[in-house]
Amino acid sequence: MSEYEHVAQHLGEVKARIAAAAQAWQRAADDVHLVAVGKTHPAEAIEAALNAGHRLFGENRVQEAAAKFPALRTRYPDLKLHLIGPLQTNKIKQAVETCDAIETLDRDKLAQGIAAELAKGGKRIDLFIQVNTGEEEQKAGVLPREADDFIRRCREEYTLPIVGLMCIPPAEEHPAPHFALLGEIAKRHGLQQLSMGMSGDYELAIQFGATHVRVGTAIFGAREVINTQSSP
Ligand SMILES: *Cc1c(COP(=O)(O)O)cnc(C)c1O
């Protein structure tokens, strides 16, 4: 018996809560996508979710994604992977190769690099712009007051496939105003997708219009190693 038996059950519970929250707020059930965040957990844990029928995943480090996912993809060709952690320009090529979406676009250098990589052709990915709604110094993301211009440059100047916005509210604040702010910025630009909400607040995020909730701990269990700025 696998150490990751609990994954299928937890996945079912999270999906049921997502469906209930969607219904409560008059959202279509298939309007909310669960990004299962398996960072720090081995490929075996991801595979338990794949065996349970889940296909959408998130990783916060390119190197870890590249180590775990290509082998899984050969066996589950319809899986989708989102990069949800900070991206360095020297890892753009690997990120584009490994992932189906990058949720952490937040500066011009990155936008230019991704545009150059996509211009080589062959690969299509979706891009979310990360907004630092809490204006935290140590956190990635474009500042809210700079978001409008950055979104416009990404779409018009770099002609990037921007599909939505992503945020990670400050751990010590109530997330509701941050979710609301992200929704307002997206609305101004006609962007349809909102990636927001984690294990502790994904139902609230759904109330505020999340189309993608990024849930790790509630599915895979506690992480032993906390090694990123974005870990709660
Ligand atoms: C780790 C991580 C998550 C998942 O967090 P949990 O609290 O474990 O659900 C969501 N988003 C980002 C950006 C993360 O790095």
Side-chain angles (χ1 to χ4, degrees), residues 36-214:
V37 180
K39 66 187 185 199
T40 78
H41 295 283
E44 197 191 345
I46 312 290
E47 187 144 24
L50 285 160
N51 282 333
H54 195 72
R55 289 295 180 270
L56 177 57
F57 297 90
E59 287 286 338
N60 71 332
R61 296 175 67 218
V62 178
Q63 235 150 341
E64 187 176 346
K68 290 188 329 202
F69 275 85
L72 290 169
R73 214 188 268 281
T74 58
R75 276 180 291 140
Y76 303 88
D78 57 340
L79 79 73
K80 298 277 182 243
L81 178 62
H82 286 205
L83 181 70
I84 61 169
L87 176 58
Q88 308 302 319
T89 47
N90 63 358
K91 298 243 166 59
I92 289 173
K93 185 176 159 58
Q94 195 175 26
V96 168
E97 279 167 3
T98 312
C99 302
D100 303 285
I102 294 172
E103 295 200 8
T104 49
L105 174 54
D106 66 352
R107 57 197 191 278
D108 287 84
K109 266 223 139 56
L110 205 49
Q112 289 157 357
I114 293 171
E117 189 58 37
L118 294 180
K120 294 178 188 167
K123 185 74 192 272
R124 289 190 46 182
I125 56 166
D126 288 337
L127 295 170
F128 293 71
I129 289 172
Q130 181 177 356
V131 182
N132 185 358
T133 57
E135 308 194 21
E136 294 172 280
E137 225 161 83
Q138 79 287 4
K139 199 166 269 174
V142 62
L143 292 172
R145 64 178 170 273
E146 291 165 6
D148 289 330
D149 282 345
F150 184 62
I151 293 167
R152 254 181 241 117
R153 281 201 300 285
C154 283
R155 298 173 104 180
E156 290 164 21
E157 206 171 303
Y158 311 128
T159 60
L160 287 170
I162 308 296
V163 299
L165 304 180
M166 177 270 217
C167 77
I168 310 169
E172 67 284 359
E173 285 180 31
H174 197 284
H178 298 274
F179 294 159
L181 175 59
L182 199 70
E184 283 163 27
I185 300 170
K187 199 169 172 196
R188 285 207 287 273
H189 292 271
L191 290 168
Q192 305 294 327
Q193 321 233 21
L194 289 174
S195 174
M196 55 192 199
M198 322 206 314
S199 289
D201 56 18
Y202 63 89
E203 287 154 301
L204 182 72
I206 290 167
Q207 177 185 343
F208 281 87
T211 59
H212 293 72
V213 292
R214 310 177 308 266

